[in-house]
């Protein structure tokens, strides 16, 4: 009888442990921001909050104006909240959100993190769950829409006509030297590159989405950007799918794989407050693969 009670108690503990494990989908915004900082249910940057965008979706809002170094704690708060203990995260980024997350993982992904209770206060900070810590965060993978971890020539040449700290960070040589892009803590970055450029984005080399060129959105390594295109363009080296070297031999950063290349030149950079542009492709992937 005692053995039976012990087995029942053990089963109940196992069920309780499973029930407390939750998956979350985190969305990290890019330049200009827009969502309410500290409110993980504020999706103003992306589009209607009612739109399906992955399991237990959360908006990780930062100001999109100040430097990566000064704003990255906002992302660390969110990762601590939802991606520690028994909880795991799927992550989607847009534009400078890719640079932000890469910086966080490279610099803090090997640090001790207190396990949190996934119950944030108004500042976006969660309380400790059991008083124990872990190394880094529980992240299944990242999907980057128009990833700007390689910077943008629009920042290089002053096309935005602003001098905010983030624009300085987005200069191609600055972004590429900001941290070791090959250090992702073993987490895969799946890249989604848009190619619906415009005449005013002519300074962007190769294919682009009006703001970010393929060298960045495709995760191409190196100290500065280069020109990469779709296979239909005969006068430019192809950005290859997956992890293989691009035409011409250039490599991608470690743990970076091109999942989508906009061969039809259909997707630009902008969400338009309605989950549009290249973000729409990533949103579909998050809905279909995050569970």
């Amino acid at each position: 009888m005692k053995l039976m009670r012990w087995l029942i108690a053990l089963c109940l503990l196992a069920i309780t442990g499973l029930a407390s494990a939750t998956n979350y989908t985190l969305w990290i915004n890019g330049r200009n921001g827009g969502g309410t900082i500290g409110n993980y249910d504020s999706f103003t940057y992306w589009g209607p909050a009612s739109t399906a965008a992955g399991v237990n979706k959360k908006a990780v809002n930062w100001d999109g104006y100040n430097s990566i170094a000064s704003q990255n704690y906002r992302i660390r708060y969110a990762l601590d909240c939802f991606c520690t203990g028994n909880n795991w995260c799927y992550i989607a980024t847009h534009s400078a959100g890719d640079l932000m997350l890469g910086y966080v993982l490279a610099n803090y992904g090997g640090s001790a993190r207190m396990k949190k209770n996934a119950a944030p206060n108004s500042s976006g900070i969660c309380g400790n769950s059991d008083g124990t810590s872990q190394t880094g965060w529980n992240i299944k993978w990242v999907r980057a829409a128009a990833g700007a971890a390689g910077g943008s020539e629009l920042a290089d040449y002053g096309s935005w006509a602003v001098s905010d700290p983030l624009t300085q960070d987005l200069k191609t040589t600055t972004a590429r030297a900001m941290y070791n892009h090959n250090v992702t803590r073993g987490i895969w970055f799946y890249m989604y590159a848009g190619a619906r450029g415009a005449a005013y984005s002519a300074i962007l080399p190769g294919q682009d989405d009006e703001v970010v060129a393929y060298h960045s959105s495709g995760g191409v390594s190196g100290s500065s950007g280069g020109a990469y295109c779709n296979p239909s363009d005969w006068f430019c080296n192809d950005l290859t799918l997956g992890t293989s070297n691009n035409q011409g031999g250039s490599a991608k950063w470690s743990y970076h794989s091109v999942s989508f290349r906009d061969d039809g030149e259909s997707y630009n950079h902008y969400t338009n407050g309605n989950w549009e542009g290249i973000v729409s492709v990533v949103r579909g992937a998050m809905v279909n693969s995050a569970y």
Side-chain angles (χ1 to χ4, degrees):
M1 192 66 178
K2 287 183 178 179
L3 178 61
M4 182 61 72
R5 286 199 296 269
W6 182 83
L7 289 172
I8 291 172
L10 189 63
C11 289
L12 288 173
L13 282 172
I15 292 170
T16 301
L18 288 173
S20 64
T22 304
N23 291 337
Y24 293 94
T25 302
L26 306 187
W27 287 84
I28 302 176
N29 66 263
R31 189 168 174 270
N32 294 329
T36 302
I37 295 174
N39 181 355
Y40 297 119
D41 296 318
S42 174
F43 281 86
T44 306
Y45 177 91
W46 306 96
S50 57
T51 301
V55 62
N56 297 315
K57 67 181 186 294
K58 300 293 179 182
V60 182
N61 295 307
W62 60 287
D63 69 10
Y65 174 88
N66 284 299
S67 70
I68 298 295
S70 68
Q71 283 287 298
N72 76 85
Y73 72 97
R74 298 287 183 187
I75 281 66
R76 285 185 278 132
Y77 283 169
L79 296 178
D80 288 345
C81 271
F82 303 111
C83 318
T84 56
N86 293 324
N87 300 331
W88 283 77
C89 291
Y90 304 92
I91 299 182
T93 68
H94 181 224
S95 194
D98 176 40
L99 180 66
M100 175 67 85
L101 182 61
Y103 179 95
V104 167
L105 290 178
N107 288 288
Y108 300 99
S111 64
R113 318 303 305 177
M114 293 300 295
K115 297 175 184 176
K116 300 293 184 177
N117 59 13
N121 62 19
S122 59
S123 297
I125 301 172
C126 292
N128 294 339
S129 60
D130 61 8
T132 64
S133 65
Q134 65 177 67
T135 300
W137 298 283
N138 306 329
I139 299 173
K140 291 180 180 284
W141 39 250
V142 178
R143 297 190 186 276
S152 172
E153 286 75 11
L154 296 187
D156 291 352
Y157 297 106
S159 295
W160 282 316
V162 293
S163 59
D164 60 88
L166 180 60
T167 295
Q168 304 310 303
D169 280 353
L170 285 170
K171 292 180 177 180
T172 52
T173 54
T174 302
R176 288 172 175 272
M178 189 175 293
Y179 60 91
N180 187 344
H181 290 54
N182 293 303
V183 177
T184 69
R185 310 297 170 178
I187 297 163
W188 279 96
F189 279 60
Y190 296 106
M191 313 302 290
Y192 290 70
R196 190 177 180 181
Y200 65 78
S201 61
I203 63 172
L204 295 167
Q207 227 82 46
D208 68 83
D209 62 8
E210 298 187 39
V211 175
V212 177
Y214 268 10
H215 70 77
S216 183
S217 58
V220 181
S221 64
S223 59
S224 60
Y228 299 92
C229 296
N230 295 326
S232 60
D233 191 332
W234 293 356
F235 304 103
C236 183
N237 285 330
D238 296 351
L239 174 71
T240 58
L241 295 172
T243 60
S244 60
N245 285 359
N246 302 297
Q247 184 181 31
S250 63
K252 301 180 179 79
W253 287 308
S254 299
Y255 292 97
H256 284 68
S257 178
V258 176
S259 289
F260 179 84
R261 181 188 60 208
D262 187 11
D263 291 358
E265 301 182 19
S266 302
Y267 299 96
N268 69 11
H269 190 82
Y270 303 104
T271 65
N272 292 323
N274 196 33
W275 302 91
E276 294 180 11
I278 191 64
V279 166
S280 68
V281 183
V282 169
R283 187 191 68 79
M286 300 303 282
V287 170
N288 292 323
S289 58
Y291 56 88

